[in-house]
Amino acid sequence: MRAAFMTLGCKVNQFETETMEGLFRARGYEVVPFDAAADVYVINTCSVTHLSDRKSRQLIRRAARTNPSACIAVTGCYAQVAPEEIRALAGVRVVIGTKERARIVDYVEASLRENEGIAGTITDIMQARVFEDIPLHSLPHRTRAFLKIEDGCQNFCTFCIIPYARGPVKSRALSAVAREMRLLTEAGFHEVVLTGIHLGAYGIDLTDRPTLADACRTALAEEKLRRLRLGSLESVELSADLLALMRTEPRFAAHLHLPLQAGSDNVLRAMNRHYDTAAFAQLIAEVRTAVPGVALSTDIIVGFPGETEEDFATGMEFVRAMGFARMHVFPYSARKGTPAARRADQVPPAVRKKRAARMQALAEEMAEQYHRSQLGSVADVLFETTEAGVTDGLTETYVRVYTDAPVQRGEILPMRLTHLYRDGVWGEPARAL
């Protein structure tokens, strides 16, 4: 039996797809590319924007065209919040939300045996209180590995559907974090990225109340680990303990992704974000003092309901002042069931698109400035892919480095950054290879 997988969305989704791949491999399935003929297609969906929903539907239809008799299993956030929409699509025979994925092979095989109806389950995710710990049965096919240590979110930003798709915070026990880290490092992964939906809230649901810093120390206890990186986390949840660990532990990547979402206090209040621009700026200054050389990236949403041209201009000015190394820009997308979607003062789509283009231009300008600031320095690069004689990889500060030197995928080597190249910089070996 052949199974194919496709993932939409965040790094958490990528990790969850890898665990499901492992479950199928453990049952004897051969994993094939998504465009190949397969007996089972697993589509792990995202629902962060309406475009994510549309892409999910397109992938379902694509799988059905590739093999009309295949079992299509749909899971993830879109499946959790809109299961009836998915069940109505031709070819779908298994629907699972963001829980019970440990049973996905059972559901698929039941569907194949019975050959009628739709298998799977959509649980009341708001009642879920325990982290669904699915061990890695097979290993990721990358040089860096993602390790999910937390699920769920309790922030309830007014624009976001994710708390309704993922439920409350659920943390992975430190013993399980240690187990998976051992598996990954013994398999030869040099870098591990700790991920979660609300990563900064790690541990608040566990009896012994471990913190994210404790999870990082557990990961770093693996001596074979060369680099630890954190996924996205809220700025207000950064602790002095975490920053001290980042400053003093050379294997802890000096890079933080801290979603700002808006640079206007008016918009931040409307979003139900738990800070204002003054508090965010103060925290950024403290982070840079605590961890010299840290690279900071962020997310920005433009065209939020009620955002005026003045709000947008204020946001552009604030973002520029923060000097982010990298910025992801998203035009606002109304999600049914969220408070923001019910507002009458929606910004016209054409205005959202125009503002997104202006903010994206600023993002590219700031990224180039950051890359220029790194030229002449030497940085350790984890190399990932090779194409047409050029290999690329990432520094600890998430700068993509390209080289034509004879380096190998999976190696971490010191490189001297010489000039801008593509979306990053060019590197030359800092020592003889």
Side-chain angles (χ1 to χ4, degrees), residues 261 300-304 307 312 329-332 352 355-356 359:
Q261 304 299 13
I300 294 289
I301 296 172
V302 298
F304 186 81
E307 181 188 71
F312 175 72
V329 179
F330 305 92
Y332 168 74
R352 283 183 241 164
R355 290 178 184 173
M359 188 67 79

Side-chain angles (χ1 to χ4, degrees), residues 82-93:
E84 295 309 317
E85 288 183 20
I86 291 170
R87 289 184 180 119
L89 296 175
V92 174
R93 291 167 61 177

Side-chain angles (χ1 to χ4, degrees), residues 3 30 36 80 179 217 243 264 300 312 325 374 398:
E30 177 190 357
Q80 181 69 44
R179 177 195 71 212
R217 274 188 280 267
L243 292 175
S264 156
I300 294 289
F312 175 72
Q374 303 301 297
Y398 220 79

Side-chain angles (χ1 to χ4, degrees), residues 392-405:
D392 66 274
L394 291 171
T395 69
E396 68 165 316
T397 58
Y398 220 79
V399 174
R400 188 156 295 280
V401 178
Y402 297 85
T403 188
D404 58 4

Side-chain angles (χ1 to χ4, degrees), residues 102-359:
R103 299 175 60 195
I104 186 168
V105 184
D106 293 334
Y107 286 129
V108 164
E109 294 187 343
S111 172
L112 291 170
R113 281 194 307 270
E114 295 164 12
N115 200 30
E116 60 181 22
I118 296 178
T121 182
I122 302 295
T123 61
D124 182 354
I125 201 66
M126 303 311 288
Q127 301 303 314
R129 293 291 185 272
V130 178
F131 184 91
E132 187 175 27
D133 192 342
I134 307 175
L136 284 167
H137 290 268
S138 66
L139 295 171
H141 313 295
R142 294 187 307 273
T143 53
R144 291 183 295 144
F146 298 118
L147 178 57
K148 176 185 166 186
I149 66 169
E150 183 276 337
D151 201 349
C153 182
Q154 59 190 33
N155 275 348
F156 289 96
C157 300
T158 59
F159 56 84
C160 189
I161 196 68
I162 300 306
Y164 308 96
R166 292 281 180 168
V169 169
K170 299 166 285 292
S171 304
R172 197 170 205 165
L174 289 177
S175 59
V177 175
R179 177 195 71 212
E180 297 297 283
M181 283 297 304
R182 192 171 307 115
L183 176 66
L184 291 168
T185 55
E186 288 178 354
F189 288 95
H190 291 320
E191 178 176 320
V192 174
V193 185
L194 299 185
T195 68
I197 299 297
H198 188 172
L199 188 59
Y202 173 83
I204 64 169
D205 58 312
L206 299 179
T207 303
D208 51 349
R209 299 298 287 264
T211 65
L212 180 57
D214 293 327
C216 293
R217 274 188 280 267
T218 298
L220 290 162
E222 284 299 320
E223 295 182 359
K224 292 180 182 178
L225 180 67
R226 299 279 299 278
R227 182 187 288 167
L228 180 71
R229 191 183 300 277
L230 291 179
S232 174
L233 70 158
E234 294 298 330
S235 58
V236 293
E237 291 163 347
L238 279 174
S239 68
D241 190 20
L242 184 68
L243 292 175
L245 184 62
M246 183 174 284
R247 181 181 66 251
T248 57
E249 171 52 76
R251 295 177 297 157
F252 202 151
H255 167 240
L256 289 168
H257 187 78
L258 308 174
L260 170 62
Q261 304 299 13
S264 156
D265 288 340
N266 292 336
V267 178
L268 288 173
R269 279 192 299 272
M271 287 179 164
N272 192 35
R273 300 294 287 173
H274 305 291
Y275 50 82
D276 58 17
T277 52
F280 189 92
Q282 177 64 30
L283 186 134
I284 293 301
E286 292 171 359
V287 169
R288 286 179 166 142
T289 298
V291 187
V294 66
L296 301 175
S297 53
T298 198
D299 296 332
I300 294 289
I301 296 172
V302 298
F304 186 81
E307 181 188 71
T308 64
E309 190 60 40
E310 182 180 358
D311 291 330
F312 175 72
T314 298
M316 289 273 286
E317 183 180 343
F318 183 77
V319 163
R320 186 184 293 276
M322 290 299 96
F324 294 111
R326 185 181 176 93
M327 192 160 67
H328 302 291
V329 179
F330 305 92
Y332 168 74
S333 177
R335 308 308 294 130
K336 183 180 178 181
T338 61
R342 295 192 292 269
R343 291 183 53 153
D345 52 353
Q346 301 290 320
V347 175
V351 176
R352 283 183 241 164
K353 184 177 180 180
K354 183 177 179 181
R355 290 178 184 173
R358 291 168 60 190
M359 188 67 79

Side-chain angles (χ1 to χ4, degrees), residues 360-412:
Q360 181 60 36
L362 176 58
E364 292 169 7
E365 176 188 330
M366 292 169 65
E368 181 178 321
Q369 289 174 355
Y370 181 73
H371 290 156
R372 285 189 184 281
S373 75
Q374 303 301 297
L375 297 182
S377 66
V378 173
D380 287 340
V381 179
L382 170 58
F383 288 102
E384 296 182 312
T385 58
T386 300
E387 185 177 354
V390 174
T391 305
D392 66 274
L394 291 171
T395 69
E396 68 165 316
T397 58
Y398 220 79
V399 174
R400 188 156 295 280
V401 178
Y402 297 85
T403 188
D404 58 4
V407 299
Q408 299 297 315
R409 180 178 183 270
E411 283 186 306
I412 295 182

